[in-house]
Amino acid sequence: MRIPIQSVTPSSGQAEVVGWVHEVRDLGGLAFFLIRDRTGIIQVTIPKKKASEAVLSAAKRVSRESVVRVAGIIKAIDKAPGGRELVPDVFEIISLADSPLPLDVVEKVPADLDTRLDSRFLDARRPRVAAVFQIRSAAMHAINQYLHNEGFINITTPKIVAAATEGGTELFPIAYFDKEAFLNQSPQLYKQMMMAAGFEKVYEIGPIFRAEEHNTTKHLNEATSIDIEVSYADHLEVMRVLEEMIVKTYEYVSMNCSDQLTNLEIPDFSIPKTPFPRLCYGDAIEIAKKKIEDPIRYGDDISPAAERAIGAEMGGHYFIVDWPSEIRPYYAMPFETDPSICKAFDLMHPRMELSSGAQRVHQHDLLVEQIKKKGLNPESFEFYLRPFRYGIPPHAGWGLGAERLVMTMLGLSNVREAVLFPRDMHRLVP
Ligand code: AMO
């Protein structure tokens, strides 16, 4: 019976393993194979004089990265990985790999990111790469668990939509029978509508599509957004949920992914501490003014250079609050005392923005006014505006990019490292 390679011990006696041929070494009288499955590596040693014809012939024919089934006797040996080796009486080639390989799984030959992504199925056989996706899976599990425990209802909203969420730009148009349609940029309008439906606390983890012509290390054209919306909550309340969820996610990864963190050479995985500092937008601009060469003033978007300068000053996760209403979306609630600023926030990691959110405008007429102020046509938002006429609680929420969360958590240099099959301006295949 096949057992995970990791659990084969020197005392296992007879064992059968199935996996990939990781490395081959022929020393004349002895042939060594390293066989790898997703749990580990085992050495297979073939003493040529004693081995059967069938074993010798398969061992001669097999190529690196072929899938093989090997069965035989386990012996303790100091020098081999895991302190044991398998001396086979069965060596069966299940799937022979072509040579040469498009990518060196053993990483002796370095490959650039494009080459790796072109052969992602081979790239992901590398334990270091697999570790990223095992950690991503654990992080998503922790997030689902946290939100579920907090009483959130998991919803799924359409990704084929008729109107823009965040304004008219950055949409992918698609052919939808005889109508114009788009891929959704954000579940924003739908999660807000579920507040009118009385669900009170909802979350969705799903794809968002942005037709941004950015070619950077932190932008994707298809990303995964973790979105929440909460009734009877203001921006401060959902910021608390966000920082607590981030810390719980780091804690879960720290507790459950030590092998993967070792594979990624992250010995000191540090868990952020709450509360994250709150920095007013105006103060953030003042920090940037002192530190960057390009002119920046109150009312500007925070440029990538400014983001880096402010991040260096803050040192860890932090929120930017009290944004000018002019540069935030129409759905952000203005402060009653000073409507020139609004109850919107960004959650920042020193390297980049991770999340945006706000308390929303829940008053129908104010919402229409704000949509118009942004130069948008309220008629295109009729399906969204209707619920605001039939009783809707005040509410707040945020959207958090899953890839950026994983990227910053693991110190990855490119957001594409945190996506199996990234979609960017140049990449549609595989
Ligand atoms: P926003 O547009 O700021 O807000 O997106 C929220 C978060 O999603 C991630 N993200 C991206 N990640 C990679 N590539 C992209 N092109 C990309 N675009 C967005 C980021 C970002 O911080 N509706 C609001 C959320 C809300 O208010 O609830 C929204 O979509 O991590």
Side-chain angles (χ1 to χ4, degrees):
M1 198 191 64
R2 181 177 86 97
I3 49 172
I5 284 177
Q6 196 180 35
S7 54
V8 177
T9 64
S11 60
S12 296
Q14 279 277 334
E16 174 179 319
V17 299
V18 179
W20 285 274
V21 175
H22 189 67
E23 274 194 77
V24 182
R25 253 185 320 141
D26 193 335
L27 298 187
L30 286 173
F32 294 105
F33 293 85
L34 293 182
I35 307 298
R36 181 192 75 240
D37 70 5
R38 68 175 216 168
T39 68
I41 285 182
I42 189 165
Q43 177 173 304
V44 169
T45 306
I46 303 180
K48 289 193 187 161
K49 281 199 179 135
K50 292 189 200 155
S52 72
E53 262 313 305
V55 167
L56 286 176
S57 129
K60 200 167 166 197
R61 218 161 54 83
V62 80
S63 52
R64 277 172 52 208
E65 294 306 315
S66 298
V67 176
V68 294
R69 181 174 76 90
V70 187
I73 295 167
I74 299 295
K75 293 186 175 162
I77 170 171
D78 284 346
K79 283 186 213 143
R84 79 294 198 232
E85 66 175 2
L86 199 165
V87 181
D89 34 61
V90 176
F91 195 113
E92 180 196 344
I93 301 173
I94 293 176
S95 170
L96 188 66
D98 278 358
S99 304
L101 294 162
L103 189 74
D104 179 17
V105 175
V106 185
E107 294 193 68
K108 281 188 183 146
V109 185
D112 62 24
L113 185 58
D114 265 326
T115 310
R116 290 177 42 209
L117 293 174
D118 286 342
S119 295
R120 193 56 140 170
F121 67 97
L122 277 176
D123 184 49
R125 288 185 196 175
R126 298 169 159 178
R128 211 155 49 89
V129 175
V132 171
F133 294 100
Q134 287 158 2
I135 291 174
R136 180 176 164 145
S137 167
M140 299 318 271
H141 176 74
I143 287 168
N144 273 291
Q145 189 169 284
Y146 172 79
L147 292 172
H148 183 81
N149 289 347
E150 292 292 308
F152 282 79
I153 299 175
N154 183 208
I155 59 167
T156 302
T157 64
K159 304 306 155 206
I160 301 177
V161 296
T165 307
E166 315 282 326
T169 55
E170 297 169 3
L171 281 164
F172 284 113
I174 58 162
Y176 192 71
F177 306 110
D178 58 346
K179 290 195 177 64
E180 186 183 44
F182 305 96
L183 294 177
N184 207 4
Q185 301 166 298
S186 157
Q188 181 70 35
L189 308 187
Y190 292 93
K191 61 181 182 168
Q192 283 195 260
M193 285 194 281
M194 293 318 292
M195 298 300 99
F199 275 32
E200 280 195 26
K201 286 175 155 190
V202 299
Y203 81 101
E204 175 164 15
I205 301 177
I208 55 168
F209 304 91
R210 307 269 167 124
E212 296 160 344
E213 295 188 7
H214 289 308
N215 195 1
T216 76
T217 54
K218 58 182 189 187
H219 286 94
L220 295 160
N221 293 112
E222 177 177 352
T224 308
S225 183
I226 302 152
D227 269 273
I228 76 158
E229 203 65 32
V230 185
S231 284
Y232 309 108
D234 61 7
H235 56 304
L236 301 173
E237 171 60 15
V238 292
M239 285 161 68
R240 190 199 57 73
V241 172
L242 180 53
E243 62 187 0
E244 188 172 272
M245 189 188 84
I246 300 259
V247 168
K248 294 267 188 235
T249 305
Y250 270 73
E251 281 173 355
Y252 186 87
V253 166
S254 171
M255 292 273 292
N256 294 281
C257 303
S258 52
D259 288 353
Q260 289 85 352
L261 291 169
T262 307
N263 261 328
L264 286 162
E265 290 160 31
I266 308 177
D268 303 310
F269 183 71
S270 74
I271 296 164
K273 298 214 174 12
T274 54
F276 299 161
R278 274 72 168 151
L279 178 69
C280 291
Y281 164 89
D283 295 338
I285 293 291
E286 288 309 311
I287 295 175
K289 264 187 195 164
K290 287 194 201 110
K291 291 187 146 193
I292 63 170
E293 283 176 11
D294 298 341
I296 185 164
R297 50 195 176 84
Y298 190 94
D300 288 346
D301 281 328
I302 297 184
S303 63
E307 215 171 79
R308 279 194 299 275
I310 303 161
E313 176 94 7
M314 299 302 290
H317 290 84
Y318 65 102
F319 286 105
I320 303 181
V321 297
D322 299 349
W323 288 77
S325 301
E326 245 182 45
I327 56 170
R328 298 301 291 210
Y330 57 84
Y331 50 73
M333 177 74 100
F335 277 97
E336 295 80 3
T337 47
D338 178 3
S340 74
I341 54 172
C342 65
K343 298 181 184 179
F345 59 86
D346 278 358
L347 170 68
M348 308 296 296
H349 177 275
R351 290 175 67 195
M352 72 193 74
E353 176 201 309
L354 295 182
S355 169
S356 295
Q359 182 180 334
R360 323 299 190 183
V361 174
H362 63 277
Q363 303 90 331
H364 177 270
D365 295 354
L366 179 58
L367 193 53
V368 172
E369 194 184 306
Q370 298 218 146
I371 289 175
K372 283 188 190 153
K373 252 197 217 159
K374 297 284 174 193
L376 300 167
N377 182 1
E379 279 169 27
S380 340
F381 293 87
E382 184 47 25
F383 76 95
Y384 164 66
L385 287 168
R386 272 183 71 221
F388 290 82
R389 291 199 289 268
Y390 299 98
I392 186 164
H395 57 280
W398 44 253
L400 164 69
E403 290 80 15
R404 289 189 184 182
L405 176 67
V406 172
M407 174 188 183
T408 50
M409 177 183 272
L410 303 180
L412 307 175
S413 58
N414 194 314
V415 71
R416 291 164 184 78
E417 298 264 11
V419 195
L420 284 171
F421 301 102
R423 289 291 172 261
D424 62 28
M425 277 178 72
H426 308 291
R427 190 165 278 285
L428 189 54
V429 176

